């Protein structure tokens, strides 16, 4: 189903090894070495940098165990290295890899939320969906089928994109299990175009296709951070005609989004919710590594307010898309993306809080 990152790992260094207190995937455990995990650590716990150097191990999300199957997992990070749906600067196919590299900086506890995700859930990295970079339709089929298996196993997917096209087949799989879902969509663009260059499938159309397929509970769709030039004077017309709430970036400037998220929480209720976060929702001063940057966007602190505002909601899946590393050699965009994915993990249902 999924192509593993680092698939040449010797037997015994994968998930089962981690459950037995062995070193992280790819680490060599010399007798008496401090590289070993502390005894009694929860299974699938990211290794502490106090015990294992950050540069050690196979490049998985947060250096978690890498698995080929979602069976037995409560949540999993999944890469979808696809960018043939982009309309401008390509490179998002390398997003999952770079996000994983930067995730080495993230620790296992979220003090701000009081969240203990790895003591609450069994989490692993499922590697990457084996997309077809020569055929967008076939790639969407492969993504849908991969996520059908993940969702059927009762595992909540946290996706590392990839361009925003990937959200459409993911939501096809999610809706098969949960029915039409609510959507919290953070983005500079609404992604509800009908077609471009005669094509109805690219990264500007995923939510139009979701509406066409009945995948969304349109009364529970909120789009935040929308901005930029347009080809019409009323670019929000389609979204609002469907019942979406559209929050323009200019309505977020210089203010906390905690009050907004209180309203969003009321709107979402206890029904299934999917979070889709395009990194270009943030201002390019913070996240330049993306294909279609727009000035005057959200700040990282506002991004945290949005995601943390979902704590306690029935989140059934998340994605972070459109990281294109070649436009940010410093890696700051990918580092920001990795942290936002960790925050998404921390707001999943059943994550214990201290």
């Amino acid at each position: 189903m999924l192509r593993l990152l680092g698939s040449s790992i010797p037997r015994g260094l994968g998930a089962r090894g981690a459950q037995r207190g062995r070193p992280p995937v790819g680490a060599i455990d010399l007798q008496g070495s401090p590289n070993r995990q502390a005894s009694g650590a929860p299974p699938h716990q990211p290794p502490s940098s106090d015990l294992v150097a950050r540069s050690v191990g196979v490049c998985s999300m947060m250096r978690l165990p890498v698995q080929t199957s979602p069976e037995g997992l409560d949540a999993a990070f999944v890469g979808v290295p696809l960018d043939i749906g982009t309309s401008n600067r390509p490179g998002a196919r390398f997003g999952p890899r770079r996000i994983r590299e930067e995730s080495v900086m993230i620790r296992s506890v979220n003090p701000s939320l009081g969240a203990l995700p790895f003591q609450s859930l069994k989490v692993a990295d499922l590697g990457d969906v084996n997309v077809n970079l020569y055929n967008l339709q076939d790639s969407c089929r492969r993504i849908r089928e991969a996520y059908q298996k993940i969702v059927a196993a009762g595992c909540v997917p946290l996706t590392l994109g990839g361009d925003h096209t990937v959200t459409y087949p993911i939501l096809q799989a999610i809706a098969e299990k949960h029915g039409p879902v609510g959507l919290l969509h953070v983005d500079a663009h609404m992604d509800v175009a009908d077609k471009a260059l005669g094509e109805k499938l690219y990264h500007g159309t995923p939510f139009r296709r979701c509406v066409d397929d009945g995948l969304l509970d349109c009364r529970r769709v909120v789009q935040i951070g929308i901005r930029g030039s347009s080809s019409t004077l009323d670019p929000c017309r389609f979204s609002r005609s469907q019942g979406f709430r559209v929050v323009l970036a200019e309505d977020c400037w210089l203010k906390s989004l905690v009050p907004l998220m209180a309203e969003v929480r009321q709107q979402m209720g206890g029904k299934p919710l999917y979070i889709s976060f395009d990194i270009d929702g943030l201002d390019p001063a913070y996240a330049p590594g993306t294909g279609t940057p727009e000035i005057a966007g959200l700040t990282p602190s506002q991004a945290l307010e949005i995601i943390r505002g979902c704590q306690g909601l029935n989140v059934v899946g998340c994605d972070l898309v459109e990281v294109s590393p070649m436009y940010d050699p410093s890696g700051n965009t990918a580092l920001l993306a990795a942290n936002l994915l960790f925050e998404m993990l921390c707001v999943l249902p059943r994550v214990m809080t201290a």
Side-chain angles (χ1 to χ4, degrees):
M1 177 181 65
L2 302 179
R3 180 180 61 79
L4 277 180
L5 196 72
S7 57
S8 61
I9 304 166
R11 293 181 183 273
L13 290 180
R16 287 181 293 175
Q19 291 173 339
R20 296 172 185 169
R22 295 181 184 174
V25 177
I28 300 172
D29 184 20
L30 302 176
Q31 181 146 6
S33 167
N35 286 355
R36 286 181 292 179
Q37 281 276 46
S39 62
H44 289 214
Q45 181 86 0
S48 168
S49 60
D50 294 335
L51 299 172
V52 181
R54 286 195 169 98
S55 57
V56 170
V58 167
C59 184
S60 65
M61 186 66 179
M62 295 184 65
R63 297 189 293 172
L64 285 163
V66 180
Q67 292 192 190
T68 57
S69 169
E71 295 297 330
L73 296 177
D74 299 303
F77 294 102
V78 188
V80 185
L82 181 76
D83 65 359
I84 58 174
T86 38
S87 58
N88 188 29
R89 305 188 301 190
R93 69 181 65 180
F94 302 113
R97 183 176 299 177
R98 193 72 171 104
I99 292 169
R100 287 182 172 109
E101 289 174 358
E102 295 298 334
S103 73
V104 72
M105 288 296 298
I106 305 173
R107 300 169 183 84
S108 60
V109 174
N110 189 328
S112 297
L113 287 174
L116 303 166
F118 299 105
Q119 295 183 28
S120 313
L121 307 175
K122 189 174 182 182
V123 188
D125 188 327
L126 287 178
D128 293 334
V129 177
N130 186 20
V131 296
N132 180 351
L133 292 177
Y134 306 119
N135 187 315
L136 189 55
Q137 294 279 357
D138 184 50
S139 286
C140 286
R141 176 190 63 81
R142 291 167 179 243
I143 296 165
R144 182 180 68 253
E145 291 176 357
Y147 277 76
Q148 285 170 334
K149 295 177 182 178
I150 294 169
V151 173
C155 177
V156 177
L158 299 107
T159 300
L160 293 66
D163 73 57
H164 222 152
T165 312
V166 307
T167 304
Y168 171 49
I170 292 171
L171 281 172
Q172 287 180 313
I174 294 280
E176 276 187 23
K177 178 172 182 177
H178 297 285
V181 297
L183 173 69
L184 178 62
H185 172 209
V186 183
D187 203 326
H189 315 96
M190 287 171 285
D191 294 350
V192 292
D194 187 34
K195 59 184 177 181
L197 303 178
E199 298 296 326
K200 296 177 76 69
L201 190 61
Y202 78 107
H203 75 162
T205 65
F207 301 115
R208 182 69 163 255
R209 301 286 80 84
C210 287
V211 169
D212 291 346
D213 289 2
L215 308 180
L216 301 176
D217 179 354
C218 294
R219 297 164 300 174
R220 296 193 305 118
V221 175
V222 179
Q223 299 181 300
I224 303 174
I226 307 304
R227 63 191 189 278
S229 56
S230 172
S231 57
T232 71
L233 286 174
D234 189 11
C236 302
R237 180 177 180 180
F238 177 82
S239 286
R240 288 175 172 155
S241 73
Q242 300 303 308
F244 297 2
R245 178 176 181 178
V246 180
V247 181
L248 302 178
E250 59 202 71
D251 295 326
C252 301
W253 292 345
L254 305 175
K255 65 177 68 171
S256 168
L257 299 188
V258 170
L260 168 65
M261 289 309 299
E263 296 174 5
V264 171
R265 291 174 63 81
Q266 285 288 109
Q267 182 177 352
M268 296 302 171
K271 296 179 181 179
L273 168 68
Y274 187 86
I275 301 172
S276 185
F277 200 116
D278 187 324
I279 201 68
D280 74 23
L282 300 183
D283 192 275
Y286 306 106
T290 190
T292 49
E294 302 280 0
I295 66 166
L298 304 177
T299 67
S301 58
Q302 289 176 318
L304 292 180
E305 289 177 330
I306 291 170
I307 296 172
R308 291 174 180 177
C310 295
Q311 189 175 33
L313 296 179
N314 185 15
V315 179
V316 296
C318 312
D319 65 51
L320 191 296
V321 298
E322 298 285 358
V323 172
S324 189
M326 64 183 68
Y327 302 108
D328 183 8
S330 71
N332 283 350
T333 306
L335 176 63
L336 180 52
N339 276 274
L340 294 181
L341 282 159
F342 173 66
E343 294 284 336
M344 292 176 191
L345 173 67
C346 290
V347 300
L348 293 185
R350 298 193 292 123
V351 170
M352 296 185 299
T353 56

